[in-house]
C-alpha cells in the first residue's frame, strides 16, 4: 500500500506546530509571572522587570498569530497544489520571454523567483508590524520606512546576484553526481559556507551597516591587552552603527586562523560608557530539529566561555555586564526550561549567573 506522501508531510508539519505551540504556551505562562526569579531579586529593578515583561508578552502574542497564519498558508500551499502551479507558471513565463522552459536551471531559477516574491508579500505585514509597532512601542526601533524598504530591496538584489550561480551549481551536481551525489553536495555546501563566512562581513554586511575602527582609548586598550594576554590573533576591532536600526546591543567575533576580528555595536559601547516544492516544506520542520541540536552545542560553548572568563578573574565584572545586557535589551526574565532548551542558543540569565557562581566557588 502506497504511503500518502502529501498527507504525511502535512501531518508532520502540524505535529511540529502543535509541539512548538505547546512550548510557546509554557513560555507565555512563564512570562506572565508577576515576580522576578529568586536569583534576580535585588539584581534587576522592578521597573526594568515590568518593561521586560510587557515587551516579552507583546512578542509572544505576535508570535502566536504569526505561527498560526504560517502553518495555515504552508498547509494550504501543499493541499491546493500551489507549488506545482508555481512551477507551471514559471515555465510559461520563460516561454513568454523567449527562453527554454526545458532548461532545468532556468526553470528552477524562475520558480524560486516566484516563491521569493510570494514570501516577501505574505511576510511583509508581519515584518512591518514587528518593526514599527512592537519594536517602536518599546523604544527599540530606530528605522524609518525608507530604510526598511531600502534594506529589503538590497536583500532582494543580493539574492538575484548570489542565488543563480549557487542554484546552477547544485543542479549540475545533482545531474552529474551519480552514486557520490551526497558527498559532492556536502563538499560544495561546506566550501560555500566557508566562502560566505569570509565574504559576508567584508562585502555584504557593509551594504547594510557602517563599520568603523574602534577609536584609540581605554576600551580599545583593554580589549587589545586581553587579546594579547590570551594570544588571541585580533587583527581588526570595529564599531558597527547598529543604533541606526535598533537600540538593541550586541557584539560578535569572526574570522579564521590568525585573522580574527571583533565587532561591537555602538549601542553596546554607549551602555558601557554609561556604566564604565514539497521538499521545500519537508525541510522546514526538520530544520527545527537540527536547530535544537545546534542550540545545545551553542549553549555548551556559552557556559564554557563564562567559565573561562571566571577563570581569568572576571567573575565580578561578568555578572553586572550580563545583567546590564538583559536589562537594556528587555530580555525575558522568567523563562520556561523546556522552551529555552529548545529555542535559545544562549542560556537564560538565571542559568548563566548560577553557573558563574558555581564556577567562582570552584576557582576560590
Amino acid at each position: 500500500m502506497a504511503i500518502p506522501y502529501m498527507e504525511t508531510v502535512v501531518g508532520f508539519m502540524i505535529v511540529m506546530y502543535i509541539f512548538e505551540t505547546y512550548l510557546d504556551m509554557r513560555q507565555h505562562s512563564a512570562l506572565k509571572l508577576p515576580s522576578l526569579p529568586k536569583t534576580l531579586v535585588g539584581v534587576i529593578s522592578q521597573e526594568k522587570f515590568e518593561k521586560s515583561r510587557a515587551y516579552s508578552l507583546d512578542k509572544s502574542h505576535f508570535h502566536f498569530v504569526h505561527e498560526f497564519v504560517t502553518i495555515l498558508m504552508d498547509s494550504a500551499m501543499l493541499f491546493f497544489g500551489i507549488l506545482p502551479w508555481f512551477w507551471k507558471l514559471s515555465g510559461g513565463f520563460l516561454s513568454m520571454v523567449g527562453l527554454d522552459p526545458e532548461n532545468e536551471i532556468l526553470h528552477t531559477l524562475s520558480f524560486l523567483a516566484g516563491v521569493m516574491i510570494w514570501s516577501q508579500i505574505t511576510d511583509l505585514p508581519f515584518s512591518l508590524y514587528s518593526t514599527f509597532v512592537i519594536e517602536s512601542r518599546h523604544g527599540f526601533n530606530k528605522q524609518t520606512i525608507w530604510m526598511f524598504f531600502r534594506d529589503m530591496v538590497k536583500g532582494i538584489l543580493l539574492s538575484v546576484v548570489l542565488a543563480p550561480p549557487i542554484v546552477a551549481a547544485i543542479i549540475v551536481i545533482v545531474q552529474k553526481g551519480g552514486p557520490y551525489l551526497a558527498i559532492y553536495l556536502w563538499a560544495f555546501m561546506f566550501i560555500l559556507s566557508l566562502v560566505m563566512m569570509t565574504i559576508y562581513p567584508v562585502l555584504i554586511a557593509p551594504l547594510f551597516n557602517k563599520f568603523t575602527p574602534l577609536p584609540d582609548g581605554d576600551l580599545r586598550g583593554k580589549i587589545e591587552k586581553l587579546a594579547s594576554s590570551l594570544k588571541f590573533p585580533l587583527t581588526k576591532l570595529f564599531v558597527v552603527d547598529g543604533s541606526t536600526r535598533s537600540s538593541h546591543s550586541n557584539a560578535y567575533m569572526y574570522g579564521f586562523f590568525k585573522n580574527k576580528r571583533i565587532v561591537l555595536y555602538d549601542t553596546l559601547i554607549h551602555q558601557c560608557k554609561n556604566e564604565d516544492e514539497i521538499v521545500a516544506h519537508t525541510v522546514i520542520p526538520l530544520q527545527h530539529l537540527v536547530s535544537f541540536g545546534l542550540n545545545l552545542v551553542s549553549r555548551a560553548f556559552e557556559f564554557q566561555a563564562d567559565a573561562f572568563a571566571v577563570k581569568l578573574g572576571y567573575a565580578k565584572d561578568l555578572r553586572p555586564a550580563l545583567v546590564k545586557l538583559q536589562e537594556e535589551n528587555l530580555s525575558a526574565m522568567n523563562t520556561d526550561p523546556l522552551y529555552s532548551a529548545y529555542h535559545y542558543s544562549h542560556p537564560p540569565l538565571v542559568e548563566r549567573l548560577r553557573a558563574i557562581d558555581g564556577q567562582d566557588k570552584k576557582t576560590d
Side-chain angles (χ1 to χ4, degrees):
M1 182 177 177
I3 298 175
Y5 187 64
M6 182 78 71
E7 290 77 3
T8 301
V9 172
V10 176
F12 182 56
M13 290 170 54
I14 293 174
V15 167
M16 289 299 300
Y17 168 75
I18 292 173
F19 170 68
E20 294 184 350
T21 300
Y22 164 71
L23 294 181
D24 292 337
M25 292 175 67
R26 289 178 60 102
Q27 175 68 359
H28 192 78
S29 297
L31 295 174
K32 291 171 67 176
L33 293 175
S35 57
L36 280 161
K38 291 182 180 179
T39 308
L40 300 182
V41 173
V43 178
I44 302 288
S45 69
Q46 187 64 26
E47 180 186 3
K48 282 292 183 180
F49 170 64
E50 294 296 340
K51 289 182 178 180
S52 165
R53 184 167 173 262
Y55 178 49
S56 297
L57 285 172
D58 261 7
K59 291 196 298 180
S60 181
H61 285 120
F62 173 75
H63 178 75
F64 280 119
V65 175
H66 191 194
E67 291 302 301
F68 179 71
V69 173
T70 299
I71 191 65
L72 285 181
M73 289 195 301
D74 289 347
S75 299
M77 288 184 73
L78 288 177
F79 270 120
F80 295 104
I82 301 299
L83 291 180
W85 178 77
F86 261 130
W87 180 261
K88 183 178 180 179
L89 188 67
S90 61
F93 171 77
L94 289 176
S95 298
M96 186 178 66
V97 297
L99 297 175
D100 182 12
E102 298 300 319
N103 185 306
E104 191 172 355
I105 294 177
L106 291 178
H107 201 156
T108 302
L109 289 172
S110 178
F111 169 76
L112 292 177
V115 171
M116 182 182 71
I117 293 171
W118 169 262
S119 299
Q120 290 282 351
I121 293 173
T122 55
D123 199 56
L124 183 59
F126 295 102
S127 298
L128 288 170
Y129 187 87
S130 176
T131 302
F132 294 102
V133 177
I134 295 180
E135 295 295 307
S136 295
R137 179 185 297 158
H138 297 277
F140 288 119
N141 178 50
K142 303 298 180 183
Q143 291 192 80
T144 62
I145 287 288
W146 157 248
M147 187 181 295
F148 177 89
F149 282 103
R150 185 184 65 185
D151 285 350
M152 185 176 74
V153 171
K154 285 182 180 179
I156 294 173
L157 292 176
L158 276 173
S159 298
V160 170
V161 172
L162 297 177
I166 295 174
V167 171
I170 292 175
I171 292 176
V172 170
I173 292 173
V174 171
Q175 291 173 337
K176 302 181 181 299
Y180 300 103
L181 169 62
I183 297 176
Y184 294 149
L185 274 179
W186 175 86
F188 173 74
M189 296 308 296
F190 177 73
I191 295 172
L192 178 63
S193 298
L194 294 180
V195 171
M196 291 304 297
M197 289 173 64
T198 301
I199 69 172
Y200 177 82
V202 178
L203 300 177
I204 298 177
L207 296 175
F208 298 89
N209 290 96
K210 182 180 180 181
F211 293 77
T212 56
L214 180 66
D216 292 332
D218 188 50
L219 178 59
R220 184 183 183 95
K222 288 181 178 180
I223 295 175
E224 290 177 337
K225 182 179 178 181
L226 178 60
S228 177
S229 68
L230 299 174
K231 297 182 180 180
F232 180 81
L234 179 62
T235 57
K236 299 286 185 180
L237 191 52
F238 292 114
V239 179
V240 60
D241 61 339
S243 61
T244 59
R245 288 167 175 79
S246 172
S247 59
H248 287 294
S249 55
N250 206 346
Y252 62 91
M253 177 272 291
Y254 67 95
F256 297 100
F257 308 113
K258 298 295 183 180
N259 182 25
K260 301 292 179 65
R261 305 178 180 190
I262 294 177
V263 177
L264 307 175
Y265 279 54
D266 56 355
T267 48
L268 180 63
I269 294 176
H270 177 68
Q271 292 168 13
C272 290
K273 288 179 178 179
N274 289 339
E275 290 293 315
D276 193 324
E277 169 135 277
I278 293 176
V279 178
H281 282 80
T282 305
V283 168
I284 290 173
L286 292 177
Q287 283 178 331
H288 292 291
L289 299 178
V290 174
S291 296
F292 173 58
L294 294 176
N295 284 344
L296 292 179
V297 174
S298 177
R299 289 161 66 96
F301 287 158
E302 197 80 18
F303 283 125
Q304 289 178 4
D306 288 347
F308 183 64
V310 173
K311 185 178 179 180
L312 293 176
Y314 289 103
K316 293 182 179 179
D317 297 315
L318 182 58
R319 289 190 194 93
L322 292 176
V323 170
K324 183 63 178 177
L325 280 175
Q326 188 86 359
E327 288 182 326
E328 295 303 319
N329 289 320
L330 295 184
S331 302
M333 308 296 177
N334 289 300
T335 55
D336 176 76
L338 289 180
Y339 178 90
S340 64
Y342 183 75
H343 284 289
Y344 288 2
S345 60
H346 298 285
L349 177 62
V350 172
E351 294 182 26
R352 294 183 70 176
L353 293 180
R354 189 183 301 126
I356 290 171
D357 291 339
Q359 185 66 29
D360 200 16
K361 290 178 181 178
K362 289 181 182 179
T363 303
D364 293 339

